[in-house]
Amino acid sequence: MISSKRTPTINDVATRAGVSKKTVSRVINSSPMLKPQTREKVEKVIAELGYVPNPQARALALRRNFVLGLLYDNPNAQTILNFQQGVLDAIRDTEFALVVRPVDRHSPDMLDDIRDFLEKQRPAGVMILPPISENDAIAELCLEQGCGYVRMGSAEFDEPHRLVESNDGEAVGWAVDHLVEQGHRRIALIEGPEGFRSALERRRGFLEGLDRHGIAHDPGLVAKGAYTFESGKAAARALFDRDPRPTAIFACNDEMAAGALHVASERGIAVPRDLSLIGFDDSPTAAHMWPPLTTVSWPITRMANAAAMKLIAPATPEAKPFKFDSSLVQRSSVAPPQKP
Amino acid sequence: MISSKRTPTINDVATRAGVSKKTVSRVINSSPMLKPQTREKVEKVIAELGYVPNPQARALALRRNFVLGLLYDNPNAQTILNFQQGVLDAIRDTEFALVVRPVDRHSPDMLDDIRDFLEKQRPAGVMILPPISENDAIAELCLEQGCGYVRMGSAEFDEPHRLVESNDGEAVGWAVDHLVEQGHRRIALIEGPEGFRSALERRRGFLEGLDRHGIAHDPGLVAKGAYTFESGKAAARALFDRDPRPTAIFACNDEMAAGALHVASERGIAVPRDLSLIGFDDSPTAAHMWPPLTTVSWPITRMANAAAMKLIAPATPEAKPFKFDSSLVQRSSVAPPQKP
DNA sequence: TTGTACGCGTTATCAT
DNA sequence: ATGATAACGCGTACAA
């Protein structure tokens, strides 16, 4: 009789089924060469005992830890959570677990932090979110630690099989198209912070969009931001102080768009009557603002899913880069400009 | 010479330091009975080799997995992320990792899902967030699986050492006090969904607050909500249809308050001039709304920290329940009512 | 104070 | 097709 207090091990199953440990192991790992009859017998005992393989022991024997790490430093909670959801969908019904690790990109020992994480958890792979995904030192660190990784980003800054890409620039172009179609010509940009690849890409998409419609680039209509609410407010103030005022603003994320909306409310500038506004991210609050914000939706959950799959599946060498399309979701913050 | 390709093990350290494994093990676990000289020698070799103990092997030998699980089903992203942050602060510099597990409380196999998680990951303990923290079946499941747990909640529904509590009801009372001090008497409530303990507690705090000020309870001024933006809109519509309209609304979370604000904007009801509004959660968007929302701040990060500590530290039997105070953060959505 | 021998639960090697 | 035996890296009795 097996002790009922202890959780059953592979040995318990083996003795009870009258086979060897290795045979049980073969059943668990669904090895092809097994007499169906033996397999059934073992499977029956597994069910009886409620045996579940111990992942720690597996990890030790396989020299592989069934853990996926998520590395991020992102102020946008919903983005992180959506990403987590995508990963969790991918690892459902696998033995993988998701362990999260926020880091501080402004801290001098961010790299030590990450190294510490990799050494302690030894994840099978990590997924790195923007903006720190653009940091090559982190990628090198992973390589050095023998840890797989996938970087999420808006440009090709790594080998295809280590990258899941979004087409930020293109999507921003569509936003510009939409504004121009409504009749806007004096369109301002609230940029993301310097050094962010995504900010660069979005800016590029914006300028190319303007160019496509034969609109000259006015440097005075570009305001620096930092992807934060406050920076959006500051940028909007600068923009609103200009004369003539822009009739439309594209903000490089929803949070800055929210800041701009805030300042517009303060100054009695009605959106969309006096000003059209488009954001980027389609964060949940975008729909909750007044007016509901037109914004670029980023397929973060599907990207996360793809990233996790890449890490779980044996890396196909000729794997193509995954690239996901963003899209413009139209709500109520855009209207034709007022005739002067 | 140790192979430079393989990550060093305790054996490498032992042979190089000229001691036994056990001695190295003692150094790692800072056993008291060691000659300082031996300790130093071993520590030197550890540093030289860059040795890091393998947590999987430790877990196997100790029959203890250094993993903390987070179980939740909560629509509010920021709450989850703040909680994660609190846990991560607690486990920083420990060997614990945080693995997250969202579940669907409406799914019939939520319990099987959780059981699966516990069996596969065998976490040292799990932290359970509202609203599923109120589900006793989950707690029993943990016990049955030999897994520690801590439940977060707004009432005492478990033993003190398995609970981290917030004083939702009291805090809502303070919000009512604030409204009454400003001169409001016709104060409405947008409730949380039925079956949520937090909703119950907040309602209780609201009614007791009214009572304290001698204001009769008008059932027509209580609208059902579901902690979602849309439900907040619906509830606000019902409230605004009443005559006379309430001069103030307390919404049981910020998301519903955002919905109410939305409807107010639609109907041209100016906040705070025509209507005062208070939310609950102090989610980041509360500060980004127009006007910035006065709300109850819930110390979720500190609660998370405490919960993780409880799980990490050997459970002191006489541990007192942790109870954390929420507080009212005043912004711009409250003003004295208009004289009729 | 330190070392020896063995156990933790699993997989891999090499037999049979 | 299956089994004996040795890893994997670390902790604990128990001995020295």
Side-chain angles (χ1 to χ4, degrees):
Chain A
M1 173 74 190
I2 307 289
S3 160
S4 61
K5 296 308 293 173
R6 204 166 45 79
T7 75
T9 75
I10 198 171
N11 280 312
D12 300 329
V13 177
T15 56
R16 178 135 172 186
V19 298
S20 78
K21 278 169 26 160
K22 184 58 196 169
T23 302
V24 179
S25 173
R26 287 196 176 99
V27 172
I28 296 170
N29 299 291
S30 46
S31 155
M33 33 179 187
L34 265 178
K35 243 196 280 194
Q37 163 188 353
T38 316
R39 176 186 305 276
E40 279 171 30
K41 185 174 60 182
V42 173
E43 274 170 351
K44 184 154 163 273
V45 175
I46 289 181
E48 277 174 21
L49 258 39
Y51 163 71
V52 178
N54 181 322
Q56 278 70 52
R58 270 175 73 82
L60 186 57
L62 288 170
R63 276 169 293 288
R64 174 153 192 239
N65 199 359
F66 292 95
V67 159
L68 257 32
L70 177 57
L71 253 37
Y72 64 87
D73 175 10
N74 190 312
N76 186 333
Q78 192 62 44
T79 301
I80 305 293
L81 225 61
N82 285 349
F83 194 94
Q84 289 183 6
Q85 191 56 57
V87 174
L88 289 158
D89 287 345
I91 66 180
R92 175 169 306 281
D93 301 323
T94 75
E95 51 198 333
F96 280 89
L98 172 62
V99 353
V100 297
R101 182 70 172 207
V103 300
D104 178 4
R105 68 173 178 273
H106 299 302
S107 159
D109 29 54
M110 178 186 74
L111 279 180
D112 291 332
D113 241 46
I114 296 179
R115 182 197 308 277
D116 188 65
F117 172 69
L118 296 180
E119 282 175 348
K120 276 192 193 144
Q121 299 314 130
R122 313 207 180 174
V126 295
M127 292 156 290
I128 317 174
L129 259 48
I132 58 170
S133 60
E134 297 163 21
N135 187 330
D136 290 325
I138 297 178
E140 279 168 33
L141 190 54
C142 290
L143 254 25
E144 172 191 311
Q145 295 284 330
C147 172
Y149 70 86
V150 171
R151 300 158 82 173
M152 321 295 298
S154 47
E156 285 188 36
F157 43 61
D158 207 327
E159 298 167 38
H161 67 285
R162 299 190 178 288
L163 197 62
V164 171
E165 224 183 322
S166 60
N167 63 341
D168 292 25
E170 219 179 331
V172 174
W174 299 333
V176 173
D177 290 347
H178 180 55
L179 256 11
V180 173
E181 279 160 20
Q182 296 286 313
H184 292 276
R185 309 279 301 174
R186 213 155 55 246
I187 305 172
L189 172 71
I190 301 183
E191 281 193 288
E194 242 164 312
F196 279 49
R197 191 58 188 255
S198 62
L200 216 65
E201 288 299 318
R202 294 173 196 185
R203 179 202 169 89
R204 190 181 54 71
F206 179 81
L207 294 179
E208 288 181 7
L210 249 41
D211 206 49
R212 217 167 26 240
H213 296 285
I215 300 176
H217 166 48
D218 176 356
L221 289 183
V222 174
K224 277 246 173 310
Y227 280 163
T228 64
F229 180 76
E230 285 304 328
S231 74
K233 288 177 73 171
R237 285 199 191 96
L239 257 18
F240 292 156
D241 284 342
R242 294 191 60 84
D243 188 20
R245 237 175 29 210
T247 63
I249 295 181
F250 174 78
C252 278
N253 75 355
D254 287 348
E255 216 169 319
M256 295 194 296
L261 198 54
H262 220 263
V263 174
S265 300
E266 279 174 2
R267 302 208 178 177
I269 299 173
V271 174
R273 199 196 58 196
D274 305 330
L275 176 78
S276 288
L277 186 61
I278 297 185
F280 196 112
D281 271 349
D282 195 19
S283 60
T285 51
H288 299 174
M289 298 178 193
W290 188 260
L293 186 70
T294 292
T295 183
V296 175
S297 173
W298 190 39
I300 181 76
T301 304
R302 283 187 298 141
M303 289 173 71
N305 203 276
M309 295 291 199
K310 283 196 177 212
L311 254 18
I312 292 175
T316 327
E318 81 293 2
K320 272 181 275 181
F322 279 99
K323 187 154 185 174
F324 288 87
D325 278 345
S326 303
S327 60
L328 189 69
V329 355
Q330 299 185 21
R331 287 198 264 257
S332 316
S333 62
V334 173
Q338 294 283 86
K339 294 295 159 215
Chain B
M1 173 73 191
I2 308 289
S3 160
S4 59
K5 295 309 294 174
R6 208 167 42 79
T7 73
T9 77
I10 197 171
N11 282 313
D12 300 329
V13 176
T15 56
R16 177 131 172 188
V19 298
S20 77
K21 270 169 36 160
K22 180 58 194 168
T23 303
V24 179
S25 173
R26 287 197 176 97
V27 172
I28 296 169
N29 300 292
S30 46
S31 155
M33 33 182 186
L34 265 179
K35 243 195 283 194
Q37 165 188 350
T38 316
R39 175 186 306 276
E40 279 172 29
K41 186 173 60 184
V42 173
E43 275 169 350
K44 185 154 163 271
V45 175
I46 289 181
E48 276 173 21
L49 257 40
Y51 165 71
V52 178
N54 180 322
Q56 277 70 50
R58 270 174 71 84
L60 186 57
L62 288 169
R63 280 178 260 359
R64 173 153 194 243
N65 197 0
F66 293 95
V67 160
L68 257 34
L70 178 56
L71 253 38
Y72 64 88
D73 175 10
N74 191 313
N76 186 332
Q78 192 63 43
T79 301
I80 305 293
L81 225 61
N82 285 349
F83 194 93
Q84 289 183 6
Q85 190 57 56
V87 175
L88 289 157
D89 287 344
I91 65 180
R92 176 170 305 283
D93 300 323
T94 75
E95 50 197 332
F96 279 89
L98 172 62
V99 353
V100 297
R101 182 70 172 207
V103 299
D104 177 6
R105 69 175 177 273
H106 300 301
S107 160
D109 28 55
M110 177 186 75
L111 281 179
D112 291 331
D113 240 47
I114 296 179
R115 182 197 308 278
D116 188 66
F117 173 69
L118 296 179
E119 282 176 349
K120 276 194 194 140
Q121 300 314 130
R122 313 208 179 174
V126 294
M127 293 157 289
I128 316 175
L129 259 47
I132 59 170
S133 60
E134 297 162 20
N135 186 331
D136 290 326
I138 297 178
E140 279 168 33
L141 189 54
C142 290
L143 253 25
E144 173 190 311
Q145 294 284 331
C147 172
Y149 71 85
V150 171
R151 300 158 82 171
M152 320 295 296
S154 48
E156 285 187 36
F157 44 61
D158 207 327
E159 300 166 38
H161 68 285
R162 299 191 178 288
L163 199 62
V164 171
E165 223 182 322
S166 60
N167 63 341
D168 293 24
E170 218 179 331
V172 174
W174 300 333
V176 173
D177 290 347
H178 180 56
L179 256 12
V180 172
E181 279 162 19
Q182 296 286 314
H184 294 275
R185 308 280 299 174
R186 213 156 54 247
I187 305 174
L189 172 71
I190 300 183
E191 281 193 286
E194 241 164 311
F196 280 47
R197 191 60 186 256
S198 62
L200 215 68
E201 288 299 318
R202 292 172 197 185
R203 180 201 168 89
R204 190 181 54 72
F206 179 81
L207 295 179
E208 286 181 8
L210 250 39
D211 207 51
R212 218 169 22 241
H213 296 286
I215 300 176
H217 167 47
D218 176 357
L221 289 182
V222 173
K224 278 245 174 307
Y227 280 163
T228 64
F229 180 76
E230 286 303 328
S231 73
K233 288 176 73 171
R237 285 199 191 97
L239 257 17
F240 291 156
D241 284 343
R242 292 191 63 82
D243 187 23
R245 235 173 32 207
T247 64
I249 295 180
F250 173 79
C252 278
N253 74 356
D254 286 348
E255 216 168 317
M256 294 194 296
L261 198 54
H262 220 264
V263 174
S265 299
E266 280 173 3
R267 303 208 177 178
I269 299 173
V271 175
R273 199 196 58 196
D274 305 330
L275 175 79
S276 288
L277 186 61
I278 298 185
F280 196 112
D281 271 349
D282 195 20
S283 60
T285 51
H288 298 173
M289 296 176 196
W290 187 261
L293 185 71
T294 292
T295 183
V296 175
S297 173
W298 191 37
I300 181 75
T301 304
R302 282 187 298 140
M303 289 173 69
N305 203 277
M309 295 290 200
K310 282 196 178 211
L311 254 18
I312 292 174
T316 328
E318 82 293 359
K320 271 181 275 182
F322 279 98
K323 188 155 186 173
F324 289 87
D325 279 345
S326 302
S327 59
L328 189 69
V329 355
Q330 299 186 23
R331 287 198 264 256
S332 316
S333 61
V334 173
Q338 296 281 87
K339 292 296 162 216

